[in-house]
Amino acid sequence: MPGHHQSSFSYGRYAGGPDPLAPPVDLAEALDAIADDVMSGYSPEQAMREFLRRGGRNRQGLDDLAGRVQQRRRDLLKQHRLGGTLDQVKELLDKAVLEERKQLVRDAMMDNTDRAFREMRMENLPSSTAAAVNELADYDWQSQEARQTYEQIKDLLGREMLDQRFAGMKQALENATDEDREAVAQMLRDLNDLLEKHARGEDTPEDFENFMAQHGDAFPENPQNVDELIDALAQRSAAAQRMLRSMSAEQRQELMSLSAQAFGSPELMAQLDRLDSALQGLRPGEDWNGSERFEGQEGLGLGDGTGVLQDLAELDSLAEQLSQSYAGSTLSDVDVESLARQLGDEAAISARTLAELERAMRDSGYLRRGADGDLQLSPKAMRRLGKSLLQDAAGRLSGRQGGRDTHLAGAAGEATGSTRAWQFGDIEPWDVGRTMTNAIGRVAAEGGNPAGGIRLDVRDVEVRETEARTQAAVALLVDTSFSMAAEGRWVPMKRTALALHHLVSTRFRGDRLQLITFGRYAQRREIGELTALSAMREQGTNLHHGLTLATRFFRQHPTMQPVLLVVTDGEPTAHLVGNGQAWFSWPPEPETVRATVAELDRVGRLGAEVTFFRLGDDPGLERFLQSMAHRVDGRLVSPDPADLGAAVVGEFLRHRYPGTGSTFGDVEWE
């Protein structure tokens, strides 16, 4: 049709960086894993490193990739052996000698003396392949086929020697003419001139451009400047040196003897020696002296062997990059192209995804640098984790009661002015205005006409949040003695504190929460500080000091209802004495018990609602806490560590909303 333009399109693998259609990395999984490690005592930086090492769901981690790199290295060493070129030369030599002997037998016109002399020469060739090849260098072959086979030895040696320094040269020079060989010789002369000029600092960009214009076909790496050219050549040349050092002394001697026969031109080896010397001077940092131990059966020629040594060096470099053990390391250091070349595209995708995850974690705001320069969990991360942990606690409560979820934002109190989407179980009044506005917007967005009437959907409903009529001052005391960490209760304790902190800060904003840790001494803690707290190894359970700080906190908020929640796994073994120092004794001394009980009585006189949470099965601790709870008309709860968060949150809600019930499945109430 006139004016019609038909476009053609072609499709292929996206090669412009991260796939724009790939699903986003799962930061939630990473954050949860990092938080668990932080709570176990890792720094956020270490925790992130550990997650990247382990990987996530359906994602290989750095350790998996590093393991595959090492396995690939082992496979190369077990599969191959050196000396493939020597094997090929020996095979060609044996064939040439055999054909020559056949010709000597067939040639009836040959002088018998000459025949005998030639047969004796064939019979008495040195056992060394190199020595035999060199001895036959001036031999006047009678068999044309034998002559051609012997010339193949020279050709093979020349191509292998070049292939050691220039990848692909062996194939490129197969069936080469004298003109082709002269072109290679000229390339070597020009290359050596360029490198020596560069070493003196006398070269110009034009020198490089002119060289590549003439000889660029010999360099598939497509270097863009003289330094890239030197890098590529030095890596290959160093690998060639490592290959020679990996051979036996006998193999090295054979090759050195054979090298003079390469292309039948001593100049080739002279130019290659000149090249190796120049490269070693320009790139002394390459590994020129290393060696490997090959144990396989598949013989490697000089060129292929050099390629394998390059692969081994690349694998070693990848192993270092994946280790991330050097200063300033990031996953952007990993050479994904090398990884794809060695392990395949799947491994490269895994590494790229991990790098994106690391970058996203740093850019998301979940991690930030503190004043001391160390990486820390940000307030945003703390809110995200607190919400997740609170949801987990609520789910445990709901499931064990056999009832519905309860979303409490100060129910049955004064309105806060805030609204939120209705959720199953809410009992707050609807906000009619917001609900109707949501319905009108939804109908319009779905293409309907609100003027024709609307039908409410559950998604439209918003409820009014309310404040509890009585504000509370809540002190959560958590035991940080060494037994908490040793018995696997350290992380559940932190998760509990974070869940309660999130509940109070988001749903009971009029309340005040004070977190207090008590080991040998007690200390007030911010939530971020408690979350990052490493396991204490000091002895002592100074509940007396913890109660003292709680009493001080309650007196700072005289108009609020005091609520005391104590999590511990041991009887008090320390108390403060007159000089402010902690007195420790095991078993507990009567003076420690008296001081602790006296401070609990002060808490009781303030009208505090008290709950003790006993971890572990120590009968002595059970009797002690039972008597403590009874003394202030409090309660004793004995949860499993996994249920600690649900137990503490449930008990807090019971204090805030009396009559909500107190039986939570596996949680034992006493």
Side-chain angles (χ1 to χ4, degrees):
M1 292 187 298
H4 176 70
H5 176 72
Q6 183 175 0
S7 299
S8 61
F9 301 92
S10 62
Y11 298 88
R13 177 179 298 175
Y14 177 73
D19 186 352
L21 300 180
V25 292
D26 186 359
L27 290 184
E29 179 192 7
L31 183 60
D32 288 343
I34 290 171
D36 279 344
D37 283 343
V38 168
M39 292 180 184
S40 299
Y42 288 90
S43 71
E45 184 80 44
Q46 291 172 323
M48 184 169 69
R49 295 291 186 195
E50 284 302 311
F51 176 75
L52 294 174
R53 288 187 180 285
R54 292 192 302 264
R57 292 187 296 269
N58 303 318
R59 182 188 299 116
Q60 290 181 319
L62 293 177
D63 285 348
D64 296 319
L65 294 175
R68 291 181 60 191
V69 164
Q70 293 301 328
Q71 185 60 51
R72 164 79 171 149
R73 196 183 198 286
R74 289 191 293 269
D75 289 345
L76 287 175
L77 293 174
K78 289 181 178 179
Q79 177 182 355
H80 300 294
R81 65 176 178 83
L82 303 180
T85 297
L86 293 175
D87 293 341
Q88 288 181 277
V89 170
K90 186 176 187 308
E91 182 179 342
L92 289 172
L93 176 64
D94 290 344
K95 180 180 178 182
V97 170
L98 178 62
E99 292 301 325
E100 180 70 3
R101 283 176 170 172
K102 290 180 180 178
Q103 180 62 29
L104 294 177
V105 171
R106 288 194 300 264
D107 192 350
M109 303 299 296
M110 181 179 294
D111 179 76
N112 288 331
T113 302
D114 187 23
R115 189 196 325 274
F117 176 78
R118 291 177 181 277
E119 288 178 342
M120 183 176 62
R121 191 168 182 181
M122 292 294 117
E123 186 70 27
N124 295 312
L125 285 174
S127 59
S128 163
T129 300
V133 170
N134 288 330
E135 182 167 319
L136 293 173
D138 61 351
Y139 180 74
D140 179 20
W141 297 90
Q142 297 301 296
S143 165
Q144 185 63 25
E145 186 175 352
R147 182 188 301 276
Q148 291 175 350
T149 301
Y150 183 80
E151 291 300 321
Q152 287 178 26
I153 294 176
K154 296 181 179 181
D155 182 71
L156 171 67
L157 289 170
R159 290 187 294 124
E160 288 280 17
M161 293 291 180
L162 287 169
D163 202 41
Q164 274 194 300
R165 279 78 172 182
F166 308 93
M169 193 68 79
K170 180 180 179 181
Q171 290 75 24
L173 288 178
E174 192 170 8
N175 300 319
T177 64
D178 290 341
E179 184 178 7
D180 294 329
R181 298 189 185 97
E182 176 54 33
V184 170
Q186 187 60 51
M187 182 272 289
L188 286 173
R189 289 190 288 268
D190 292 346
L191 175 59
N192 282 319
D193 290 343
L194 174 64
L195 296 186
E196 290 170 2
K197 194 173 182 182
H198 179 74
R200 296 191 301 269
E202 299 173 358
D203 64 317
T204 65
E206 289 74 17
D207 292 330
F208 171 76
E209 292 171 3
N210 291 336
F211 175 81
M212 291 300 292
Q214 289 184 315
H215 308 296
D217 291 344
F219 303 94
E221 302 90 351
N222 192 28
Q224 299 301 302
N225 53 57
V226 69
D227 284 313
E228 290 187 9
L229 173 65
I230 293 171
D231 286 340
L233 289 171
Q235 290 170 8
R236 184 86 178 173
S237 180
Q241 294 298 318
R242 292 195 301 276
M243 180 182 179
L244 288 175
R245 289 180 174 275
S246 301
M247 291 180 172
S248 67
E250 182 181 356
Q251 288 174 322
R252 283 196 300 273
Q253 182 61 43
E254 289 279 284
L255 283 174
M256 293 194 57
S257 297
L258 284 169
S259 63
Q261 300 299 328
F263 284 152
S265 170
E267 185 190 4
L268 174 65
M269 286 309 302
Q271 291 293 345
L272 290 178
D273 289 343
R274 182 183 169 196
L275 175 62
D276 289 338
S277 178
L279 291 172
Q280 193 159 356
L282 290 167
R283 292 294 184 271
E286 291 288 341
D287 183 5
W288 297 92
N289 299 313
S291 63
E292 300 288 350
R293 183 175 180 179
F294 290 83
E295 302 173 348
Q297 297 299 316
E298 185 177 324
L300 287 173
L302 296 182
D304 291 339
T306 299
V308 169
L309 266 294
Q310 276 191 294
D311 284 341
L312 292 172
E314 188 169 64
L315 289 167
D316 289 341
S317 180
L318 285 170
E320 182 180 12
Q321 294 163 15
L322 292 170
S323 74
Q324 295 286 283
S325 59
Y326 49 93
S329 60
T330 67
L331 286 185
S332 60
D333 299 340
V334 177
D335 187 339
V336 292
E337 292 185 0
S338 294
L339 200 61
R341 190 160 49 245
Q342 296 296 338
L343 301 183
D345 291 339
E346 180 187 352
I349 292 172
S350 294
R352 187 178 289 115
T353 302
L354 290 173
E356 291 172 10
L357 180 60
E358 179 187 47
R359 183 169 52 252
M361 283 298 297
R362 295 184 185 276
D363 296 343
S364 65
Y366 287 136
L367 299 173
R368 68 176 185 180
R369 294 286 175 189
D372 57 359
D374 290 337
L375 208 60
Q376 299 175 349
L377 292 178
S378 68
K380 177 182 177 182
M382 301 299 291
R383 290 192 296 272
R384 160 70 179 76
L385 292 171
K387 180 180 179 181
S388 174
L389 294 170
L390 181 59
Q391 288 174 339
D392 179 66
R396 289 175 179 269
L397 284 170
S398 174
R400 288 169 186 171
Q401 285 177 288
R404 60 187 183 180
D405 292 337
T406 302
H407 303 281
L408 297 165
E414 299 296 329
T416 66
S418 300
T419 66
R420 59 179 173 80
W422 177 88
Q423 300 181 62
F424 181 72
D426 282 337
I427 59 175
E428 293 84 355
W430 286 16
D431 186 305
V432 178
R434 293 285 299 175
T435 299
M436 295 302 295
T437 300
N438 292 341
I440 292 170
R442 177 182 53 78
V443 171
E446 293 173 352
N449 182 7
I454 58 174
R455 181 183 297 274
L456 288 180
D457 187 277
V458 68
R459 295 170 294 173
D460 305 327
V461 180
E462 290 201 23
V463 297
R464 294 197 297 269
E465 290 190 343
T466 58
E467 287 282 3
R469 291 192 178 95
T470 302
Q471 294 178 321
V474 184
L476 175 63
L477 276 63
V478 291
D479 188 344
T480 54
S481 60
F482 179 63
S483 60
M484 288 285 288
E487 298 296 331
R489 298 158 187 158
W490 194 259
V491 173
M493 174 270 291
K494 291 184 178 183
R495 294 171 69 91
T496 297
L498 192 52
L500 183 61
H501 177 272
H502 186 76
L503 175 62
V504 172
S505 62
T506 59
R507 299 294 180 91
F508 294 88
R509 289 184 284 269
D511 289 355
R512 293 293 178 267
L513 173 65
Q514 179 64 65
L515 302 174
I516 299 172
T517 60
F518 61 97
R520 176 69 68 98
Y521 291 91
Q523 185 175 342
R524 295 182 179 185
R525 303 278 187 179
E526 296 296 328
I527 186 60
E529 184 183 9
L530 175 59
T531 302
L533 186 66
S534 298
M536 303 287 191
R537 293 192 175 272
E538 61 182 8
Q539 292 179 311
T541 304
N542 198 336
L543 180 57
H544 167 247
H545 193 188
L547 291 172
T548 300
L549 295 182
T551 302
R552 191 177 305 164
F553 169 68
F554 293 147
R555 286 173 175 165
Q556 290 170 348
H557 302 86
T559 63
M560 295 184 175
Q561 170 62 45
V563 176
L564 176 66
L565 307 171
V566 181
V567 177
T568 184
D569 70 347
E571 298 178 67
T573 57
H575 69 283
L576 293 183
V577 294
N579 60 1
Q581 297 298 309
W583 177 269
F584 168 77
S585 176
W586 173 258
E589 291 189 353
E591 182 58 32
T592 297
V593 175
R594 281 195 295 269
T596 304
V597 170
E599 197 59 45
L600 178 67
D601 288 343
R602 293 187 183 92
V603 171
R605 287 194 292 272
L606 294 175
E609 297 177 339
V610 180
T611 304
F612 290 95
F613 298 87
R614 176 178 64 87
L615 299 178
D617 301 319
D618 181 11
L621 174 63
E622 181 179 2
R623 289 191 297 270
F624 173 77
L625 293 181
Q626 182 67 65
S627 63
M628 291 278 281
H630 180 73
R631 189 176 186 90
V632 290
D633 196 23
R635 301 166 66 84
L636 174 60
V637 183
S638 302
D640 183 90
D643 292 319
L644 180 61
V648 171
V649 168
E651 187 66 9
F652 169 78
L653 293 176
R654 190 190 66 79
H655 286 304
R656 303 303 284 120
Y657 298 100
T660 57
S662 60
T663 302
F664 298 96
D666 296 339
V667 179
E668 175 187 357
W669 297 82
E670 299 180 75

